[in-house]
Amino acid sequence: MQRRHGRAQVCPWLTIAALCAVALHCPGFVGLWSSRWHQPPTLTKEARSRITAGTFSWDREEMHDFPATPEEMAQQAADATMRAYRDGITRQHVHFRLDQLFDMESLYVKGATALQNATLPLLEEYARNLWGGEYLKNIRVSIVDQEAGTLIYRESDNEMQDMSIFYLAGRDLVLEPKTGQFLDNMKDRLVVLANPEEATAFFNVAQMGKDFPEQTERGYALAWKFRESSYYYTRTLYNQWQMVIFRSYPFQWQVWIENLQYELVRLSLTDERPTFEELDAMLLKYEKDNNIRPSQKVGKWIKDAQQEEEASEEASPGWRSAQSGDDILRLAKEKEAGRVAAKDKKVP
């Protein structure tokens, strides 16, 4: 699938193997690849600094506040990516908070393709913002597996600033031999792995391959390569608490929870991403220090779940209360068809 002028066009034959094979042997393929592929330059840290200096204002002495809008999130992530790139990190992992753009409660009904359609503009905005928006020649978007795995390629006037993003790429896609070949051929160009936790065959980079059944070693190698989380922003339910985890390179990791009074309270500020065991310990300490009874946090959790369900129902009336799975699927398809039709009418 290629995305042009805001619309997605299906190319069923486009797999990661075909994409990489053509990339290596046919430079003109869909405008994504050029002769620069065959002998890409090797850049030193100083060279990366030179091509970012003067074109992008990203230096910060203080940590970001949480982004107020998706547009601000895209800008923050681009800033963080450029800071890490200048420090020589060409393989990065980013995680966007997608629930601001898509009702994640409906994901199991609407599917990964609906999530992809709702959130691709955010990723494209992020790609445009890199290098301060300078030297941008084109952005191409292609679906590279049978699910929603997406390759976003930012082509630049300066060949050293070409970069790619693998979005919603699952375990099978990232371990494809041709994916490895693609990464090798990118050499010192920037490659970003975005939101693999929301892929159909999801995985978590922080698990370092443990969530790759029977392929732990290969999963570890992939996760190690993309171990630098230059930008990470999520809000999730963890042990009955609404938790926010936030990081923007090179600053520390922040962990916050929403307390019983619906105020955000910071639990930690660390150099490394906290493990699940460390998160558990933080919550236990917080509950003990503040005399939180289990019934109190469970009561808040139930209330939160009720509010989220009401918000989800308001956003998509009827989908939760449908009488059967078939009814739910039918409703989701009708709404998706209506959304696509309305979108198509806006396209010249």
Side-chain angles (χ1 to χ4, degrees):
M1 179 182 289
Q2 295 174 4
R3 184 185 179 92
R4 297 183 180 180
H5 308 298
R7 301 178 65 182
Q9 300 175 344
V10 177
C11 297
W13 44 266
L14 184 58
T15 65
I16 189 66
L19 182 62
C20 292
V22 176
L24 292 171
H25 303 296
C26 183
F29 178 65
V30 299
L32 275 174
W33 319 108
S34 67
S35 58
R36 66 183 69 172
W37 258 98
H38 297 284
Q39 292 185 351
T42 299
L43 302 180
T44 63
K45 178 178 176 180
E46 290 73 20
R48 277 185 285 270
S49 295
R50 285 197 298 273
I51 65 175
T52 55
T55 65
F56 188 69
S57 177
W58 44 260
D59 285 315
R60 292 183 64 90
E61 296 181 358
E62 298 179 352
M63 290 184 291
H64 288 291
D65 292 330
F66 300 151
T69 64
E71 292 78 15
E72 187 178 355
M73 179 166 56
Q75 185 63 62
Q76 285 187 2
D79 291 353
T81 298
M82 288 291 93
R83 288 192 291 268
Y85 176 78
R86 191 191 71 162
D87 284 345
I89 304 170
T90 60
R91 301 293 182 266
Q92 302 179 30
H93 164 237
V94 300
H95 183 93
F96 294 99
R97 181 179 169 184
L98 302 182
D99 64 302
Q100 296 179 327
L101 297 168
F102 182 80
D103 178 12
M104 300 302 289
E105 292 291 311
S106 67
L107 180 60
Y108 73 96
V109 171
K110 296 182 178 179
T113 300
L115 173 65
Q116 175 208 61
N117 288 337
T119 57
L120 262 179
L122 170 69
L123 274 293
E124 292 171 347
E125 179 71 12
Y126 161 70
R128 280 191 292 271
N129 290 343
L130 295 169
W131 285 279
E134 298 290 334
Y135 307 116
L136 174 62
K137 184 176 181 181
N138 205 354
I139 291 178
R140 302 284 187 174
V141 179
S142 297
I143 309 306
V144 289
D145 66 6
Q146 299 303 312
E147 301 295 341
T150 306
L151 176 64
I152 302 166
Y153 196 88
R154 184 190 198 274
E155 188 177 1
S156 174
D157 293 328
N158 181 344
E159 65 181 66
M160 293 184 292
Q161 291 168 282
D162 278 11
M163 64 84 62
S164 60
I165 305 165
F166 279 94
Y167 178 51
L168 300 178
R171 294 187 299 271
D172 295 336
L173 175 58
V174 297
L175 293 187
E176 276 275 351
K178 292 299 181 180
T179 302
Q181 189 177 8
F182 176 92
L183 295 176
D184 289 343
N185 279 278
M186 285 295 284
K187 293 190 180 292
D188 284 330
R189 291 186 177 88
L190 177 64
V191 182
V192 173
L193 186 63
N195 287 72
E197 296 93 330
E198 271 76 47
T200 302
F202 61 88
F203 67 97
N204 188 331
V205 170
Q207 290 297 296
M208 284 294 156
K210 295 178 182 177
D211 42 9
F212 284 77
E214 301 179 1
Q215 300 189 78
T216 303
E217 290 186 6
R218 295 182 63 201
Y220 174 84
L222 185 283
W224 179 258
K225 185 177 293 185
F226 288 92
R227 65 189 179 278
E228 184 63 64
S229 294
S230 55
Y231 189 80
Y232 195 96
Y233 180 39
T234 188
R235 182 185 177 101
T236 187
L237 184 67
Y238 191 90
N239 285 0
Q240 287 85 50
W241 290 102
Q242 291 290 338
M243 177 178 285
V244 175
I245 301 177
F246 183 74
R247 196 265 174 142
S248 181
Y249 184 93
F251 304 108
Q252 292 177 300
W253 288 81
Q254 305 175 48
V255 177
W256 300 70
I257 62 167
E258 188 178 77
N259 65 16
L260 298 178
Q261 289 73 44
Y262 293 89
E263 301 167 334
L264 284 177
V265 177
R266 192 170 70 190
L267 295 186
S268 72
L269 195 60
T270 58
D271 292 332
E272 301 294 332
R273 179 177 176 174
T275 64
F276 292 127
E277 293 77 12
E278 289 169 338
L279 292 176
D280 291 341
M282 291 177 200
L283 290 175
L284 285 173
K285 183 178 185 303
Y286 174 79
E287 292 169 14
K288 181 178 180 181
D289 291 347
N290 291 275
N291 298 313
I292 305 291
R293 298 189 304 274
S295 60
Q296 289 178 295
K297 72 171 186 176
V298 171
K300 180 180 182 300
W301 167 62
I302 293 174
K303 185 176 180 181
D304 291 343
Q306 207 167 25
Q307 291 175 343
E308 288 181 4
E309 184 168 339
E310 291 171 357
S312 182
E313 179 67 20
E314 183 178 352
S316 299
W319 77 269
R320 284 182 179 275
S321 59
Q323 295 300 308
S324 68
D326 289 340
D327 289 335
I328 293 176
L329 290 173
R330 175 184 54 76
L331 181 61
K333 289 177 180 178
E334 289 175 356
K335 289 186 176 296
E336 186 66 12
R339 186 190 66 78
V340 171
K343 181 179 179 182
D344 287 346
K345 289 180 181 178
K346 298 179 182 179
V347 177

